[in-house]
Amino acid sequence: MKSEEELINDLKAQIIEALSIEDLTPADIDADAPLFGDGEGLNLDSIDAIELVLLIEKQYHIHIDDPRTRRTILASVRAMAKFILENQKE
Amino acid sequence: MKAYINAHGIISPQRTFDGAFFENGLEEYTQPQMHCIEPDYKEFINPAKLRRMSRILKMGLGAASLCVQRGTQPDAIVIGSGFGCLADLEKFQYAMKAENEQLLSPTPFVNSSHNMISSQIAIALGCNGYNMTHFHAALSFENALLDTLMLLNSGDAQNVLVGGIDEITEQLFSITDKLNIWRKDNCSNKNLFEGTHRGTLMGEGAAFFIIGTKPNNGNPVQITGTHTFIDGNADIVSEAADFLGTLNLTIADIDTMILGRNGDAENDCVYDALENCCQANIVHYKHLCGEYRTSSAFAMWLGANILQRQQIPQCAIKRKSGKNNYSNILIYNHLNGTEHAFTVLSK
């Protein structure tokens, strides 16, 4: 299983591709910065949130059962990585 | 009521977005697809919004933004398109099949909606008024234009953004190629009208206009009228004469005709009678933009430029008459000899 930092690097590249963020490289993304919100972090919106949930389901085969937890899971790249590590089967 | 073209913005296979086409002349293509020469969209579209847009959305919003920058804020938006946001529709449908209808990305689905282009333009411009998209094959742009003229005539709008837009996709090319409608001999668009051939070149483009009830400059071009009809056995000269009659014009009043010849012998013979019934200047445009459902929007852009500049680009002249003052232009285009559209521009 990958370490948290390795997974964070993978996620950054996958987010850039899934959301077509052409102007950024993985190094430009702060793993602890908020992903959503006006003028904050990547400044993503609700459509992006659906794309990120699909990314987790497709790439890591983890289904997010409770939609209310999505806000926490998708708070930052590090939060996504922690959720994946906690829920990924060996 | 009079309707004036107060601004235009166009993205096409020629260098038209910045007007370089008029200095540089024709861009050559030796493949059967003529793709648009696109500007750097970041100059007029918010980069944050840009990343989720497909190419046709960028072309539409880019051309509309260019148009509004040169004109005025519209209070209505009307668009004509033959196929709409086809690339995203294809992407969404392929994903449905590949993913067995599970875990589908919402972006191509949202972007594949027929009215997505007019919606995105409305959001970008903050235009909350009338918003309509017309899909009527080769008559899409003229129906959008007719809608625009009715809006202006009714007084429901004073400035309307109207456009025609279509994109090339590989899937569309591959399906329509089975009908043998595209050239297979690597013909250059420069030589499109030489010899007798079947097939033409596929094109695409986005042409937008601000049409207002009052001219906003000292060099106005008027849309005198537009007319469409569907008839596989039409007498085109008589139809043209009847239409011009409703505008108090005759064929002799027309100094320039812009015709939709595309190099396909079967397609082009429909234009012969009209071309031979008068001494007007004859202008071609499909070697500049290719064949697509809303190519007549390119023709209208070309016509507006001829009237404003009082000059026909050398690469577009098929026949030059002695008429060097351009005041009445008739645009005629058809699809399969069945769908016909006339538009008259006047100075």
Side-chain angles (χ1 to χ4, degrees), chain A residues 19-20 45 48 51 57-58, chain B residues 51-52 103-105 107:
Chain A
L19 306 185
S20 306
D45 61 18
D48 296 315
E51 297 283 9
E57 292 204 21
K58 277 186 188 174
Chain B
R51 70 180 165 85
R52 204 182 284 144
L103 301 175
L104 295 172
S105 166
T107 303

Side-chain angles (χ1 to χ4, degrees), chain B residues 83-124:
Chain B
F83 291 106
C85 302
L86 200 57
D88 271 308
L89 182 64
E90 290 169 2
K91 198 172 171 183
F92 178 67
Q93 288 184 330
Y94 278 125
M96 274 178 77
K97 189 166 181 287
E99 304 288 340
N100 198 24
E101 301 185 19
Q102 304 293 314
L103 301 175
L104 295 172
S105 166
T107 303
F109 171 69
V110 172
N111 284 351
S112 67
S113 308
H114 278 27
N115 56 359
M116 191 61 183
I117 305 164
S118 59
S119 312
Q120 284 286 348
I121 294 170
I123 292 166

Side-chain angles (χ1 to χ4, degrees), chain B residues 3 5 29 36 72 104 143 153 158 191 208 219 258 289 305 316:
Chain B
I5 299 176
Y29 292 82
C36 283
T72 184
L104 295 172
N143 279 325
N153 197 40
Q158 275 69 51
N191 308 321
F208 283 78
N219 192 12
I258 302 181
C289 66
N305 273 283

Side-chain angles (χ1 to χ4, degrees), chain A residues 58-71:
Chain A
K58 277 186 188 174
Q59 298 286 336
Y60 301 98
H61 309 290
I62 302 169
H63 181 68
I64 302 173
D65 294 319
D66 184 357
R68 289 170 297 183
T69 61
R70 287 179 184 173
R71 187 180 290 268

